Amino acid sequence: MKAFKIVSISICSLLAVLYLAFLFAVPAFVKLDDYTYQLNDDDNEQQGLIIKAEDIRVSTAWNLSAGAKIGQINGYYKSGKKFIQADNLDITVSIPYLLIKKIKIDKISLDKIIARLGVDSDGTFTLEKYIPQSEEKDKTQTELLPYGLQFSENMPNIILNKYSLTFTDN
């Protein structure tokens, strides 16, 4: 009986240490600032949109979800005209669902978003020119995610505090 107590206390202590490491050590040691260069590729000639993200951090939560907090996202056309600005974006994904090969987005939170969408004379959005057009595919075949992952059917909690959507003539 004494050995059972020691083993169970040891296992519980190990699980508590792992849980606390997940909550506090992962956000402290994983720095996402090193990966922002992929979003800021201004020299790419074929890139029509420039997305700049600032203050990117890893976040964890008590319900075993992890995600990213982004201080500010700015979207520009290649000409330098800004078309979107988003402040304090927080996206979290449930970790236990990943073990069963599902992606469950728990929360999408955004403090402020300002979008200025230009409308061309033919009625299309200016943004559409910069989005790559794909060929017509068979509607029954869906794109597969890597490693056999699938999206969960559960909808995330979406929190949007302030927004402004403006349509302008070009």
Side-chain angles (χ1 to χ4, degrees), residues 93-104 148-153:
V93 176
S94 176
I95 300 295
Y97 272 80
L98 288 176
L99 297 175
I100 58 172
K101 294 189 174 187
K102 289 206 179 236
I103 299 173
K104 180 182 184 274
L149 292 172
Q150 298 175 342
F151 280 102
S152 172
E153 295 84 18

Side-chain angles (χ1 to χ4, degrees), residues 125-152:
F125 290 111
T126 307
L127 188 63
E128 288 182 56
K129 292 189 285 189
Y130 301 106
I131 298 173
Q133 300 297 322
S134 61
E135 300 170 5
E136 283 292 322
K137 292 185 178 180
D138 185 16
K139 301 292 183 191
T140 59
Q141 183 179 3
T142 59
E143 290 286 324
L144 297 177
L145 294 174
Y147 308 112
L149 292 172
Q150 298 175 342
F151 280 102
S152 172

Side-chain angles (χ1 to χ4, degrees), residues 33-120:
D33 290 333
D34 300 337
Y35 301 103
T36 59
Y37 71 93
Q38 295 176 359
L39 300 173
N40 300 332
D41 189 11
D42 296 338
D43 298 328
N44 187 352
E45 292 298 325
Q46 295 180 344
Q47 181 179 3
L49 300 176
I50 300 168
I51 307 295
K52 297 194 181 226
E54 300 171 4
D55 192 23
I56 303 173
R57 301 178 314 274
V58 172
S59 65
T60 56
W62 63 271
N63 61 350
L64 292 178
S65 61
K69 289 186 178 186
I70 303 172
Q72 187 174 48
I73 299 173
N74 292 309
Y76 301 93
Y77 297 116
K78 195 69 169 176
S79 64
K81 185 177 177 185
K82 186 190 287 190
F83 68 92
I84 194 162
Q85 174 184 337
D87 293 338
N88 299 325
L89 175 65
D90 184 11
I91 298 175
T92 58
V93 176
S94 176
I95 300 295
Y97 272 80
L98 288 176
L99 297 175
I100 58 172
K101 294 189 174 187
K102 289 206 179 236
I103 299 173
K104 180 182 184 274
I105 301 174
D106 280 337
K107 178 180 73 168
I108 300 172
S109 174
L110 194 59
D111 279 351
K112 179 176 76 171
I113 186 166
I114 300 170
R116 294 173 202 89
L117 300 176
V119 180
D120 293 333

